[in-house]
């Protein structure tokens, strides 16, 4: 059985990990979808980095909130699937 400090540490680790995951996902998605693909297709215009940064600043909090909702569901589904696979 885990003590309270270990549980709090595990919860904090998951929260911080979701923060990093959402940060990286927002970074990559906004870079690829809103700037890189259109930039390669139509050419990069002056100020595209500023535009991308604005999109990123908007996308990260949304990605974080979504990961907070989807994360527990994903962990539950993963644990359920792994439990069924190992039980046979």
């Amino acid at each position: 059985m885990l003590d309270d400090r270990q549980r709090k540490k595990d919860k904090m680790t998951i929260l911080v990990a979701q923060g990093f995951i959402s940060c990286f996902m927002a970074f990559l998605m906004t870079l690829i979808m809103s700037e890189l693909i259109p930039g390669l297709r139509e050419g990069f215009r002056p100020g595209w980095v500023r535009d991308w940064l604005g999109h990123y600043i908007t996308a990260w909090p949304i990605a974080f909130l979504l990961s907070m909702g989807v994360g527990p569901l994903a962990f539950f589904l993963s644990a359920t699937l792994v439990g069924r696979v190992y039980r046979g």
Side-chain angles (χ1 to χ4, degrees):
M1 175 95 58
L2 296 175
D3 64 1
D4 283 342
R5 283 189 306 209
Q6 186 63 37
R7 275 197 201 109
K8 287 179 183 176
K9 182 181 174 188
D10 290 345
K11 286 183 180 183
M12 183 57 72
T13 300
I14 291 171
L15 181 65
V16 171
Q18 287 177 323
F20 280 123
I21 290 167
S22 64
C23 181
F24 295 142
M25 292 304 294
F27 175 85
L28 293 171
M29 289 172 58
T30 57
L31 179 65
I32 293 168
M33 298 306 222
S34 71
E35 298 305 324
L36 194 59
I37 292 173
L40 292 173
R41 206 178 307 146
E42 302 163 8
F44 292 97
R45 64 199 181 289
W48 75 269
V49 173
R50 183 190 68 241
D51 293 342
W52 168 80
L53 187 58
H55 294 145
Y56 173 71
I57 289 170
T58 303
W60 182 79
I62 295 167
F64 181 74
L65 290 174
L66 290 173
S67 76
M68 294 301 294
V70 173
L73 177 61
F75 281 108
F76 170 77
L77 293 173
S78 298
T80 302
L81 179 64
V82 168
R84 286 184 183 174
V85 168
Y86 280 106
R87 276 187 291 214

